Amino acid sequence: PQAKLIFIISLFLGTTITISSNHWVMAWTGLEINTLAILPLISKSHHPRAVEAATKYFLVQATASTLVLFSSMTNAWYTGQWDITQLTHSTSSLILTAAISMKLGLAPFHFWIPEVLQGSPLTTGLLLSTVMKFPPITLLFMTSQSLNPSLLTVLAILSVAMGGWMGLNQTQTRKIMAFSSIAHLGWMTIILVYYPKLTLLNFYLYAMMTAAVFLTLNSMKVLKLSTLMTAWTKAPSLSTILLLTLLSLAGLPPLTGFLPKWLIIQELTKQDMAPAAMIISLLSLLGLFLYLSL
């Protein structure tokens, strides 16, 4: 218990350091503390699959952190600024976009997410999908003025497409949640340059709904779809709540999950990005099908 407590405190400490820092090196330190704190939580069961997931996670996150440091050093080399909001050099902002995309698991850097989530316990999966994504999203939020809008739009559309498409033939609940996470990140990324606050709103709502789903699956001990089929008889009320939460994640109109999608589509049409809005809305139908299969 003491070790677990230390890891969880370190997790929140790393997140706090990153989201409250102005200096790139401090932000990087927070990201590193975060990565090191979650690794024991992933590999806790000592199952070969869990150890493999922890190794994959470590390699991806270490690469991404190095790229974050590299982009900030390049920016400091050209501008003399270590301030996070002053990321003005174009190459630095491109490298940073790639690094944060790796950290978050945006397509085409998304391949590690399903593998890592599948190898970790459900509670750790919840941490990976919510708490661990908060610091990188904060860094994107702080540098949003200097990022390349067209690159982010391409990454976003790719993410929504891959998240919906690859989740269709999954039978493992953790993998389905992983692909759902990729698709939601696409929605957050597409609006980032135009209206950063909407990205944060989307993230908060996504974190709440994902927490509800993961905790429900955890209490019903559901790891694959076949066990979910019989869960209805054991816990009818929980299953009903799960149904509503999943439809909310899918973004069906009367439910909460529709709100960020609606606002994002509205803002995109204001910014003369109607084609992108249309593509991303049609692609999210794939995601709807994915949740309905659950």
Side-chain angles (χ1 to χ4, degrees), residues 24-44:
W24 272 114
V25 176
M26 283 304 286
W28 171 80
T29 313
L31 292 172
E32 286 299 306
I33 294 174
N34 249 358
T35 304
L36 292 176
I38 195 91
L39 287 173
L41 297 175
I42 298 175
S43 56
K44 195 173 63 185

Side-chain angles (χ1 to χ4, degrees), residues 27 59 116 123 133-134 149 157 159 166 171 173 198 203 219-220 238 242 270 277:
L59 289 173
V116 170
T123 39
K133 291 196 177 2
F134 190 42
I157 289 174
S159 298
M166 292 173 75
T171 55
T173 46
L198 270 185
F203 177 72
S219 66
M220 298 200 291
L238 259 184
L242 182 65
K270 275 185 199 163

Side-chain angles (χ1 to χ4, degrees), residues 191-210:
I191 199 64
L192 183 76
V193 176
Y194 307 106
Y195 204 148
K197 283 182 183 165
L198 270 185
T199 302
L200 283 188
L201 170 76
N202 196 341
F203 177 72
Y204 294 146
L205 289 175
Y206 162 73
M208 275 167 42
M209 295 184 289
T210 305

Side-chain angles (χ1 to χ4, degrees), residues 121-127 129-130 173-174 177 206-222 228 235 238-239 241-242 245-246 249:
L122 278 167
T123 39
T124 311
L126 167 62
L127 285 176
S129 309
T130 53
T173 46
R174 282 169 294 184
M177 291 310 293
Y206 162 73
M208 275 167 42
M209 295 184 289
T210 305
V213 172
F214 267 110
L215 294 172
T216 311
L217 292 177
N218 191 36
S219 66
M220 298 200 291
K221 302 280 178 286
V222 173
L228 195 57
L238 259 184
S239 301
I241 292 170
L242 182 65
T245 319
L246 285 168
L249 265 177

Side-chain angles (χ1 to χ4, degrees), residues 118-287:
Q118 185 56 34
S120 5
L122 278 167
T123 39
T124 311
L126 167 62
L127 285 176
L128 283 169
S129 309
T130 53
V131 180
M132 299 302 290
K133 291 196 177 2
F134 190 42
I137 282 185
T138 315
L139 287 180
L140 277 183
F141 180 79
M142 288 196 276
T143 54
S144 57
Q145 308 86 22
S146 44
L147 298 176
N148 183 342
S150 43
L151 173 66
L152 286 176
T153 308
V154 170
L155 290 178
I157 289 174
L158 261 177
S159 298
V160 178
M162 296 310 276
W165 195 29
M166 292 173 75
L168 289 180
N169 58 352
Q170 298 298 333
T171 55
Q172 302 284 344
T173 46
R174 282 169 294 184
K175 275 198 172 168
I176 290 180
M177 291 310 293
F179 287 118
S180 126
S181 167
I182 296 167
H184 275 272
L185 281 168
W187 280 92
M188 291 175 217
T189 315
I190 198 162
I191 199 64
L192 183 76
V193 176
Y194 307 106
Y195 204 148
K197 283 182 183 165
L198 270 185
T199 302
L200 283 188
L201 170 76
N202 196 341
F203 177 72
Y204 294 146
L205 289 175
Y206 162 73
M208 275 167 42
M209 295 184 289
T210 305
V213 172
F214 267 110
L215 294 172
T216 311
L217 292 177
N218 191 36
S219 66
M220 298 200 291
K221 302 280 178 286
V222 173
L223 292 179
K224 42 186 198 294
L225 288 185
S226 50
T227 23
L228 195 57
M229 309 245 178
T230 55
W232 175 253
T233 48
K234 293 178 201 158
S237 50
L238 259 184
S239 301
T240 316
I241 292 170
L242 182 65
L243 166 79
L244 282 172
T245 319
L246 285 168
L247 290 180
S248 183
L249 265 177
L252 272 182
L255 300 160
T256 320
F258 176 61
L259 174 74
K261 286 189 167 63
W262 183 29
L263 292 172
I264 286 171
I265 292 169
Q266 196 178 0
E267 188 59 35
L268 283 174
T269 32
K270 275 185 199 163
Q271 302 283 353
D272 291 334
M273 299 254 305
M278 192 180 80
I279 294 168
I280 205 168
S281 314
L282 288 174
L283 285 173
S284 68
L285 288 176
L286 285 169

